[in-house]
Amino acid sequence: MAIERRTTRQKEAIKAVLEEQAGPLLPDDIHRLAVKAVPSLGIATVYRSLKNLQEEGQVCCVEIPGQPPRYERTDKGHHHHFHCRNCGQVFDLQKCVAGGLKSLAPQGFQVTDHEIILYGFCKSCAA
Amino acid sequence: MAIERRTTRQKEAIKAVLEEQAGPLLPDDIHRLAVKAVPSLGIATVYRSLKNLQEEGQVCCVEIPGQPPRYERTDKGHHHHFHCRNCGQVFDLQKCVAGGLKSLAPQGFQVTDHEIILYGFCKSCAA
DNA sequence: GATCTATTGATAAAAGGTAATCACTATCAA
DNA sequence: TTGATAGTGATTACCTTTTATCAATAGATC
């Protein structure tokens, strides 16, 4: 039998944080933000909830090279990310240049998907 | 005073492996290949040499999201990578669509560099 | 060849992020 | 309200990659 899922303040707080925030967040960021709603929230619960939300398809993992995984809602559609070299924050990009990408692969290679990451300085840090 | 650098069979073997191989390699791959030339080679020496070669600018680090760092020569110029979802190998791509990329960033964002990673199946694994 | 000391190799240990444990709490159907 | 049990929180354990340790080895200079 499938495990009976219960609604808890902790899960709701974690989901709310992911709803509100635009870009992908680190487990630690999520914890720091969700603690405001549920002060007793432990980091273990954040990891557990993220795992569950991933299994349920509500949340997905975003990996920036050399950094631990971040998490974001899956309902944002295909997009890529910008990583600020100053503040470390990750922002969503709206558009995608996927069109020409497949042509980059050598003959015989089969491209199923791709990742584009821009690096630089975000609006606040560039100023 | 700067540290006096000595030429050793170990360092030569590690550099040779990086010369011969096309794509970026994991420290463990480098070790496995270089051991053929210097059977006593330890993994610690691979890490030490990679660190030195990086400082000297001869080698740079390639990071595929969710994977440990790989290393490759710096003399290959600007290029990106293809990661095979089957065999896990990483291949170099020759071309780059950098042209349109800066337009992806929001107003006020300053793009300094970028990363493109294609995923799929390499020639051998697609067959 | 002798000497100095950078380098090595085996190992232990660190670092960073994640998962397991377990007693306690709180959800929810009855 | 009650009872069964999913969920929680603090902590420990874990896992993988990387670095530190240290006695032994081996380049480079004379």
Side-chain angles (χ1 to χ4, degrees), chain A residues 23-89:
Chain A
L25 298 172
L26 295 167
D28 210 55
D29 294 328
I30 297 169
H31 181 244
R32 187 164 37 253
L33 291 166
V35 146
K36 292 175 185 171
V38 183
S40 71
L41 181 67
I43 187 67
T45 298
V46 174
Y47 279 103
R48 271 185 296 239
S49 298
L50 286 173
K51 197 176 176 185
N52 291 343
L53 288 168
Q54 256 188 301
E55 283 169 3
E56 293 162 15
Q58 295 188 58
V59 157
C60 66
C61 180
V62 173
E63 306 224 40
I64 304 292
Q67 304 229 355
R70 288 172 165 82
Y71 298 87
E72 68 180 0
R73 311 190 310 272
T74 48
D75 61 11
K76 292 191 286 185
H78 179 70
H79 67 282
H80 297 296
H81 299 95
F82 179 100
H83 182 229
C84 180
R85 291 221 186 269
N86 184 241
C87 66
Q89 245 191 290

Side-chain angles (χ1 to χ4, degrees), chain B residues 46-60:
Chain B
V46 174
Y47 279 102
R48 272 186 295 240
S49 298
L50 286 173
K51 199 176 175 185
N52 290 344
L53 289 168
Q54 256 187 301
E55 285 169 2
E56 293 164 14
Q58 296 187 58
V59 157
C60 65

Side-chain angles (χ1 to χ4, degrees), chain B:
Chain B
M1 58 298 185
I3 310 98
E4 171 193 333
R5 285 270 151 86
R6 293 179 185 175
T7 307
T8 66
R9 291 180 306 132
Q10 289 84 344
K11 290 179 198 169
E12 295 303 307
I14 288 165
K15 280 169 72 171
V17 164
L18 289 164
E19 294 288 328
E20 291 156 19
Q21 298 296 314
L25 299 173
L26 295 167
D28 210 57
D29 294 328
I30 296 169
H31 182 244
R32 187 164 39 255
L33 291 166
V35 145
K36 293 176 184 170
V38 184
S40 73
L41 182 66
I43 188 67
T45 297
V46 174
Y47 279 102
R48 272 186 295 240
S49 298
L50 286 173
K51 199 176 175 185
N52 290 344
L53 289 168
Q54 256 187 301
E55 285 169 2
E56 293 164 14
Q58 296 187 58
V59 157
C60 65
C61 180
V62 173
E63 305 224 41
I64 303 293
Q67 303 228 356
R70 288 173 164 81
Y71 297 87
E72 68 180 358
R73 310 190 312 271
T74 48
D75 61 10
K76 292 192 285 185
H78 180 70
H79 67 282
H80 296 295
H81 299 96
F82 179 100
H83 182 229
C84 180
R85 291 222 186 269
N86 184 242
C87 67
Q89 246 192 288
V90 176
F91 300 84
D92 289 349
L93 302 175
Q94 342 7 40
K95 294 165 283 183
C96 172
V97 291
L101 284 181
K102 294 207 176 183
S103 67
L104 296 183
Q107 267 296 320
F109 280 54
Q110 187 182 327
V111 179
T112 58
D113 53 315
H114 64 273
E115 193 55 70
I116 298 175
I117 300 154
L118 300 190
Y119 295 93
F121 302 99
C122 72
K123 199 164 185 173
S124 324
C125 293

